[in-house]
Amino acid sequence: MTLKISASKFAALALGAGILTACATLVEDRMAHAQTQPEGAFVTLPEGRIHAIIRGQGPDLVMIHGANGNARDFSFDLIDRMAGDFRVIALDRPGFGFSDDFGGPEGPVEQADILRAAVAQLDVDRPIVLGHSYGGAVALAWALRAEGDVAGLTLLAPASHPWPGDLGLWYRISASALGQYVVLPLVARLAPASAVASTLDGVFAPNPVPDGYLDHLGRDLTMRASQLSLNARQVNSLKAYVDGMAAGYSALTLPIEVVHGTADETVGLSIHSERLEQDVGSATLTRLDGVGHMPHHSRPEAVADAILRTAQRAGLSR
């Protein structure tokens, strides 16, 4: 999931930044105000803690969320849907949700290494790794780093390849010093609930946002200044990272099931998943007509089927 903001809202915030710069640097990222509480357990590593929601029994299924999200994106529906067949482990990426920031890792490979170390503490054995959107890049990095330790990948609208052009003004500004230290703290503090809801509508479009989704995800988590800052840096730098990763895709032989909506305007089908299908002989792409960027909410049964196919292909079916 990618945070977007309209040009008019950005202009208003930039104008406010000129007045409030002095106090913006004093804005604290207080967890004390958070109403959302951890659903899972914490895995302690030398550099910090990773939050993991763990449910079910069976072969291991690790879930990695997308940009500016957290593991609660999966606990809204998908975890319970799969917990009858798998031990599901949904992770907050470093710096997101309730996980510590580990110094704010920007690249998918570094994040994959941290998450691999975390699940090793849980005695995970050759998991299926599911990644959504930005999390798809992390899942691919995981496989590139340790393919023999992964049973298969299920990728939902994955960001896998470099794209033409850039991400536009918002990400250039938000990843800059002005954005990091002034604009994003102001957005975190001042953005109205209607703007957050509108952003979410855009991510799900053309499909509706499920009732209760934002409350479950935790607006207080997704609008923290530290998370907005890290998300901006990660998304702004992602193109260079996937450009370097893409050369290694053709060597992958593990089962990969890819699910992507034809109406996705956040991560383009032709730029990412269709190229991944061309690059990787073991990748199978399922196109969902009329589905946007959130297939695990808009067509959860199709995503569940893709996970089960991954398990069957990997020889993990019970």
Side-chain angles (χ1 to χ4, degrees):
M1 191 165 49
T2 301
L3 178 70
K4 297 179 180 178
I5 193 166
S6 69
S8 61
K9 289 187 176 71
F10 173 76
L13 288 168
L15 177 62
I19 301 171
L20 298 173
T21 297
C23 64
T25 56
L26 301 177
V27 173
E28 296 180 2
D29 183 26
R30 297 188 180 99
M31 285 303 296
H33 78 283
Q35 298 176 357
T36 309
Q37 298 299 315
E39 288 186 271
F42 288 91
V43 179
T44 301
L45 300 175
E47 305 88 348
R49 300 191 307 171
I50 292 293
H51 177 241
I53 302 172
I54 306 169
R55 295 180 191 162
Q57 294 183 339
D60 291 317
L61 170 61
V62 173
M63 297 182 175
I64 307 173
H65 64 83
N68 206 44
N70 59 66
R72 296 174 69 89
D73 175 52
F74 298 122
S75 66
F76 185 79
D77 177 274
L78 190 60
I79 291 178
D80 287 342
R81 192 176 288 268
M82 306 312 303
D85 296 291
F86 300 91
R87 178 172 69 144
V88 183
I89 303 167
L91 302 170
D92 285 338
R93 290 192 287 113
F96 293 82
F98 292 99
S99 288
D100 293 338
D101 69 7
F102 287 74
E106 289 193 13
V109 171
E110 186 177 359
Q111 294 174 62
D113 286 346
I114 293 169
L115 298 180
R116 283 173 54 215
V119 300
Q121 299 289 330
L122 300 172
D123 296 322
V124 166
D125 180 30
R126 292 189 69 242
I128 293 172
V129 180
L130 177 148
H132 170 240
S133 191
Y134 189 105
V138 179
L140 283 163
W142 189 322
L144 289 171
R145 294 284 274 182
E147 182 175 1
D149 294 335
V150 181
L153 301 180
T154 303
L155 304 176
L156 313 179
S160 60
H161 286 74
W163 52 90
D166 58 31
L167 292 172
L169 177 63
W170 168 248
Y171 277 106
R172 289 199 303 273
I173 293 294
S174 61
S176 70
L178 173 65
Q180 293 281 296
Y181 296 107
V182 178
V183 176
L184 290 179
L186 287 170
V187 170
R189 181 59 63 89
L190 301 177
S194 59
V196 178
S198 177
T199 296
L200 204 59
D201 287 341
V203 172
F204 275 81
N207 313 117
V209 180
D211 290 342
Y213 175 79
L214 181 56
D215 288 340
H216 180 84
L217 185 67
R219 181 184 182 276
D220 51 331
L221 291 179
T222 60
M223 293 302 293
R224 288 178 298 160
S226 64
Q227 182 167 306
L228 293 176
S229 174
L230 178 57
N231 183 70
R233 298 196 308 273
Q234 287 183 350
V235 174
N236 199 59
S237 63
L238 180 60
K239 182 177 179 179
Y241 284 110
V242 293
D243 191 19
M245 289 167 51
Y249 293 158
S250 61
L252 294 174
T253 60
L254 77 171
I256 302 176
E257 291 287 332
V258 187
V259 179
H260 209 133
T262 62
D264 188 344
E265 295 187 0
T266 301
V267 174
L269 170 63
S270 62
I271 295 171
H272 297 276
S273 291
E274 289 185 347
R275 291 170 68 186
L276 189 63
E277 183 184 37
Q278 294 170 2
D279 289 350
V280 185
S282 61
T284 300
L285 172 60
T286 298
R287 298 167 178 81
L288 300 180
D289 289 340
V291 170
H293 189 55
M294 304 292 277
H296 49 307
H297 297 289
S298 304
R299 290 281 301 279
E301 69 287 347
V303 169
D305 287 345
I307 296 169
L308 292 172
R309 286 196 303 273
T310 308
Q312 183 177 30
R313 292 175 60 192
L316 298 180
S317 298
R318 293 207 258 185

